[in-house]
Amino acid sequence: MERRMKYSLIEDEAARKVLFYERKREIIKKLSELSTLCGVKTCGVIYSPYNPELEAWPSREGAEGVITEFMEVPVAKRTERMVSQEAFLRERIASVQLQLQKLRAENRDFQIQNIMFGCLRGEIDMSNLGELDNQDLTSFIDKCIDKLICRAKHLRENGESSSPLSLLPPSRPLVVPDLDVVQVGDNDRENEIQNHQNLIQRQYDFLIEYYEDEDVPSMEGSHPPTYN
């Protein structure tokens, strides 16, 4: 494994001087490569306690020419791509926050997918789900059904009616009812829940076909979350 150097002042003066000359040669080499390969004007100015004269690359006149040309550029254009450390850090934080939000959304989709298959297998009691889980589950199933309908339409248009997906009603998409707004008696409630389960079972048949067709990873062996 490559050993990482600790970036701090080298206490030993002899070792510090040796490293200075090594790094100076590397910097000059990189400046030359950048100028040749990219066709840009570069220069380097180095002042050190090891040389009383100011060192300039490629020469003092060349460095002065590049600096003068740079200073003649209007300030607005010269600084349009410059950022302060604070602005750079703010930009990085915003980028990381967007990545975090995306990962949270993907994780939530995977969690709801686990809940959906857990309910369909009978491993999770839908009556124990919270309001937020019910809302997210309904939205997730609606999205899956919309994709199924679009795919069924595509199959029909291409004459692939033999696929089970083509059996989806073209003008009457399946809709998951809101389980929280049913206000009925105990017996009627049991019948309503049974009807919901039968409806979801029919949706399950199409969802399984969708996940197999779209090469979505199998849910076998996954463990849905538990709820109190």
Side-chain angles (χ1 to χ4, degrees):
M1 181 181 294
E2 183 179 353
R3 182 180 178 184
R4 293 188 177 183
M5 176 179 292
K6 182 180 179 181
Y7 287 97
S8 61
L9 180 65
I10 300 175
E11 298 296 336
D12 184 82
E13 185 175 355
R16 186 166 66 242
K17 184 176 181 180
V18 171
L19 184 62
F20 167 77
Y21 284 111
E22 289 179 357
R23 293 300 175 91
K24 185 181 76 170
R25 285 194 298 269
E26 292 174 3
I27 290 175
I28 292 175
K29 181 180 178 181
K30 292 298 181 183
L31 287 172
S32 177
E33 291 175 353
L34 183 63
S35 178
T36 303
L37 297 175
C38 301
V40 296
K41 296 181 180 181
T42 61
C43 69
V45 179
I46 302 175
Y47 176 78
S48 72
Y50 311 117
N51 190 342
E53 296 292 331
L54 189 68
E55 299 180 72
W57 184 92
S59 64
R60 189 181 186 91
E61 293 76 14
E64 288 177 350
V66 173
I67 295 173
T68 300
E69 188 173 343
F70 174 75
M71 296 302 294
E72 289 176 352
V73 176
V75 176
K77 186 176 181 180
R78 193 169 66 206
T79 59
E80 63 181 355
R81 295 187 179 181
M82 292 184 180
V83 294
S84 63
Q85 184 178 15
E86 180 181 358
F88 174 77
L89 291 177
R90 289 182 181 276
E91 183 179 343
R92 289 293 300 160
I93 291 172
S95 176
V96 171
Q97 286 177 338
L98 287 176
Q99 293 178 10
L100 179 60
Q101 292 176 4
K102 182 179 179 181
L103 290 174
R104 283 176 174 170
E106 291 176 355
N107 184 64
R108 181 58 176 169
D109 282 347
F110 184 74
Q111 183 184 25
I112 293 300
Q113 183 174 283
N114 276 337
I115 294 175
M116 180 183 70
F117 281 102
C119 290
L120 294 172
R121 294 191 189 106
E123 299 169 355
I124 297 179
D125 186 354
M126 288 186 292
S127 62
N128 291 334
L129 296 179
E131 181 180 355
L132 179 60
D133 287 335
N134 268 322
Q135 293 175 354
D136 290 346
L137 181 59
T138 301
S139 176
F140 184 82
I141 294 178
D142 285 342
K143 290 178 182 177
C144 291
I145 293 174
D146 288 341
K147 291 180 180 179
L148 283 170
I149 293 172
C150 291
R151 182 162 178 78
K153 181 179 178 182
H154 173 76
L155 291 174
R156 285 194 298 270
E157 290 174 351
N158 288 274
E160 302 178 30
S161 58
S162 60
S163 169
L165 291 177
S166 63
L167 301 177
L168 278 173
S171 60
R172 189 182 178 185
L174 296 175
V175 180
V176 177
D178 190 341
L179 301 180
D180 291 332
V181 299
V182 181
Q183 298 179 354
V184 292
D186 292 339
N187 293 332
D188 291 338
R189 176 63 174 174
E190 292 179 4
N191 293 333
E192 190 69 27
I193 291 176
Q194 184 62 43
N195 290 336
H196 291 163
Q197 292 175 343
N198 292 337
L199 175 60
I200 292 178
Q201 182 61 44
R202 292 197 298 273
Q203 295 172 337
Y204 171 72
D205 296 334
F206 292 113
L207 290 173
I208 288 298
E209 177 68 23
Y210 164 74
Y211 277 98
E212 289 177 350
D213 254 6
E214 298 296 326
D215 295 328
V216 175
S218 172
M219 296 304 298
E220 297 232 358
S222 62
H223 298 285
T226 57
Y227 295 87
N228 297 325

